[in-house]
Amino acid sequence: MTKRGPLLILTMPGFGIEVLRHLVDAPAWPAAGVSVALVGARPARWRRAAAWCRRALRLPADRGHRLADGTLAAGEAERFLRAQGLPWCWLESDVAVRAHRATLRPALTLTITSRILFSARTLADVDGDWLNVHPGLLPEYAGAAPAPYMFLDGCGGCTIHVMAAKVDAGAVIDRAPMQDELGRDGGDYFFHRLPPHTASRVTPLLQDWADGRRSADMAAAKPGLLRHCSSRRLAIDRRLDWRWPVDRLVRWVAALAAFSPAWFDDGRGRLIEVMAAARAGAEPLAAPGTLHSVRGRQIEVACADGMAALRCRVHPHARVGQVLPLRDSETDT
């Protein structure tokens, strides 16, 4: 138990629970007085069964990462919390979080990812500190979906800041870039490499807080400088741009494959998801977007500086020599 009172952790299945797996093994982890709330709607049992069936029907190479599906990750989160003997519950809304904090009255609330935007009233209703652990480096990677963009840019890390009513705009306590390799793809980075790094930065912060020490000088973030990597923006940027260099396009496919895969329009209005990509040639043979070969789900497409070989989730209705539609320039990443 912390010396200053109860600790409430608000988190989500997936990255947040993976961070918690590392935290509970840390020497500074409180022995008692900790409770966990999973924020968001609890998936119904039939939805979990349907998600497992969908996953089982796909080829292993096309399944993505199991933790990227919140429905599948929810069951793993619950099993982990039961095994740890931690008090836990689901909280579906800002109002539910406010009521739970009013009952528990935590001395510290620690959020490790959340799809709920907390209101100013919820933040102020209960005395006590409230910190947010953001899985991205601020201010460059704010918002709900920083991981694919960070993997694309070849950088990793997390930021701990004071919770604010605006997205990721609170005073920064710790900005922690990673020095290690990010892994083979976005899922490896987000679910395996980033959680232990994040836990290593949260552990001393919890110890400092329990001992009544302030960790570091805090600097208020300037909202105008925040680059929001939102889920809405990611939905647009998932579309491949054949005008990119091959290596960048290949890395973007790897960044997305574990989550929501990259896609392209096959020219007939079908959106074809791409599960893997590699460089196929040194020189482009035609204009960007021109199909060089189509073999089942395997295609080769001309990009800015070479040919990209793509493995699609389904067979595209396309022919050799066809020029695939280009993405609008204003939606470039």
Side-chain angles (χ1 to χ4, degrees), residues 99-151:
H100 189 67
R101 292 185 73 238
T103 300
L104 186 63
R105 307 201 69 81
L108 173 64
T109 301
L110 185 67
T111 303
I112 311 175
T113 68
S114 170
R115 293 290 181 182
I116 294 176
L117 294 178
F118 303 108
S119 65
R121 177 181 172 184
T122 297
L123 294 177
D125 251 14
V126 176
D127 292 335
D129 297 321
W130 191 336
L131 304 178
N132 183 56
V133 180
H134 176 64
L137 297 174
L138 299 178
E140 299 92 341
Y141 301 96
Y149 294 99
M150 295 191 69
F151 187 85

Side-chain angles (χ1 to χ4, degrees), residues 160 171-175 214-220:
I160 302 172
V172 172
I173 294 176
D174 184 20
R175 184 180 185 275
R214 184 66 80 175
S215 294
D217 293 336
M218 295 188 298

Side-chain angles (χ1 to χ4, degrees), residues 9-90:
I9 294 181
L10 303 175
T11 190
M12 292 175 60
F15 170 78
I17 291 296
E18 295 309 298
V19 173
L20 198 55
R21 288 185 195 276
H22 294 278
L23 283 176
V24 297
D25 292 331
W29 179 252
V34 181
S35 60
V36 178
L38 299 172
V39 293
R42 183 174 188 252
R45 289 185 180 275
W46 71 267
R47 290 188 181 276
R48 298 188 196 185
W52 278 113
C53 289
R54 288 195 302 270
R55 181 175 175 81
L57 290 173
R58 289 176 176 166
L59 296 175
D62 296 339
R63 288 174 182 169
H65 200 289
R66 71 187 191 286
L67 294 179
D69 187 323
T71 302
L72 298 179
E76 293 196 25
E78 292 183 353
R79 286 191 290 274
F80 167 73
L81 294 172
R82 291 192 190 101
Q84 293 295 320
L86 291 169
W88 64 277
C89 64
W90 283 87

